[in-house]
Amino acid sequence: MMSLILNAVIVLGAIALVAAVILFFVAQKFAVEEDPRLGQVVEALPGANCGGCGFPGCSGLASALVKGADQGTLDGLYCPVGGQPVMNQVADLLGMAIANSAPTVAVVRCNGTCEFRPRIAEYDGLRTCAAMHAAGAGETGCGFGCLGCGDCVNACQFDAIHMNPETGLPEVDEEKCTSCGACVKACPRHIIELRKKGPKGRRIFVSCVNKDKGAVARKACQVACIGCGKCEKVCEFDAIKIENNLSYIDFNKCRLCTKCVDECPTNAIIKVNFPVKKPKAVTTGTATAVAGKEIEAVKMEDKA
């Protein structure tokens, strides 16, 4: 009996030894050597794995960067979290030059606060924007505006977006925003957009995505874009177009002149981080004329 067990152990040991030798030679023959630059690039990247670059994670972007370097171009490859400093470091590791990319930031294209867009219904269901959107128009008359459940907040890994309890709208902290695009993907109504941060953080955009005709849009929200075209006419840089009853400002063409902001009859166009305009000084002639009218009015009252 012992001899049978011993023979079985020997046979199994021999089979395992032969299999190990075969596997060793197979592994040596089909081994794939990893480019040492890949590890260096992965280490240089922030490790957020947010997917903002368009790849599943930092390792996917690193592979694309190394492959792009072998092909002689890194165009279209960019880490929004690390920004230009990280991309410059990666370019140095790969011995490549990379063009500077203008920083972007997430903007919420809805200004329909509780004040301007009153609630007309009550939703009783799963409290997420995705579920509410699938169920219908939501709790207000606007079928395009923010649903206020905070899917964008939950999607952000950088604590850069929060719901304002007074307005019912999400607000972006531009100092924390990395432009990863997670909030953009999370919004079922596509009201969040990545736009150029602009010089000194100044930017102008239409804070509305309502594509209904003017009267319908205005009835649903007092600050909705009504597609009147006044902003398009006043723009000297061909940066504004009206399509599907909705105005859109091309941030690549916009020169931040703010004429469209002043022209918009519903205040649907928002300007951010601009200095507050000082009231125009009254000229001496005008002041004298106004004073003369006031004196004349007093005299008329006395006579009466």
Side-chain angles (χ1 to χ4, degrees):
M1 184 68 179
M2 287 295 296
S3 61
L4 289 174
I5 295 175
L6 183 61
N7 288 336
V9 171
I10 293 172
V11 170
L12 289 174
I15 293 173
L17 179 62
V18 171
V21 172
I22 294 173
L23 288 173
F24 173 77
F25 283 107
V26 169
Q28 291 295 315
K29 183 175 180 60
F30 295 101
V32 178
E33 294 185 5
E34 185 177 277
D35 193 320
R37 297 175 299 172
L38 186 60
Q40 295 174 342
V41 173
V42 170
E43 188 175 347
L45 293 174
N49 294 313
C50 61
C53 57
F55 295 91
C58 291
S59 59
L61 175 60
S63 299
L65 287 165
V66 171
K67 185 177 179 180
D70 292 338
Q71 296 174 349
T73 179
L74 299 181
D75 291 347
L77 301 174
Y78 187 77
C79 173
V81 177
Q84 202 61 44
V86 167
M87 292 308 299
N88 290 338
Q89 184 181 352
V90 169
D92 290 340
L93 289 172
L94 299 176
M96 298 286 292
I98 189 166
N100 289 335
S101 179
T104 58
V105 66
V107 299
V108 179
R109 294 185 57 207
C110 178
N111 197 31
T113 64
C114 302
E115 177 187 1
F116 300 126
R117 188 168 52 116
R119 180 184 296 182
I120 61 172
E122 186 174 349
Y123 171 76
D124 185 15
L126 182 62
R127 204 72 189 177
T128 68
C129 297
M132 189 181 291
H133 178 67
E139 296 181 321
T140 71
C142 180
F144 297 86
C146 177
L147 292 161
C149 296
D151 287 19
C152 51
V153 177
N154 297 329
C156 182
Q157 300 180 35
F158 305 98
D159 192 38
I161 187 166
H162 298 94
M163 298 300 298
N164 185 322
E166 294 183 3
T167 64
L169 296 175
E171 295 179 350
V172 178
D173 184 337
E174 60 184 77
E175 297 302 321
K176 293 182 179 180
C177 179
T178 62
S179 298
C180 69
C183 57
V184 177
K185 297 175 184 176
C187 180
R189 292 193 166 175
H190 312 292
I191 69 167
I192 304 180
E193 178 189 12
L194 295 180
R195 295 180 68 87
K196 279 186 179 179
K197 203 167 187 178
K200 297 182 180 180
R202 297 173 185 174
R203 50 195 175 274
I204 297 174
F205 59 93
V206 179
S207 188
C208 181
V209 294
N210 195 324
K211 296 180 180 178
D212 285 331
K213 290 185 178 180
V216 178
R218 188 66 185 275
K219 184 178 180 180
C221 179
Q222 296 177 32
V223 290
C225 174
I226 56 176
C228 63
K230 289 185 176 181
C231 54
E232 184 180 22
K233 293 176 182 177
V234 79
C235 182
E236 300 175 1
F237 308 102
D238 193 35
I240 304 179
K241 297 295 180 186
I242 306 293
E243 187 175 347
N244 294 326
N245 307 308
L246 180 65
S247 175
Y248 182 79
I249 300 175
D250 185 341
F251 53 76
N252 290 311
K253 294 181 178 180
C254 179
R255 294 296 177 267
L256 306 176
C257 69
T258 74
K259 288 183 178 180
C260 57
V261 180
D262 298 332
E263 193 69 20
C264 180
T266 63
N267 298 315
I269 303 179
I270 302 297
K271 61 180 180 180
V272 181
N273 294 329
F274 281 79
V276 178
K277 289 183 178 180
K278 294 181 180 179
K280 294 182 179 179
V282 179
T283 61
T284 305
T286 305
T288 303
V290 172
K293 289 181 179 179
E294 291 177 350
I295 294 171
E296 187 66 28
V298 171
K299 289 181 178 179
M300 294 292 290
E301 289 178 1
D302 291 342
K303 289 180 179 179

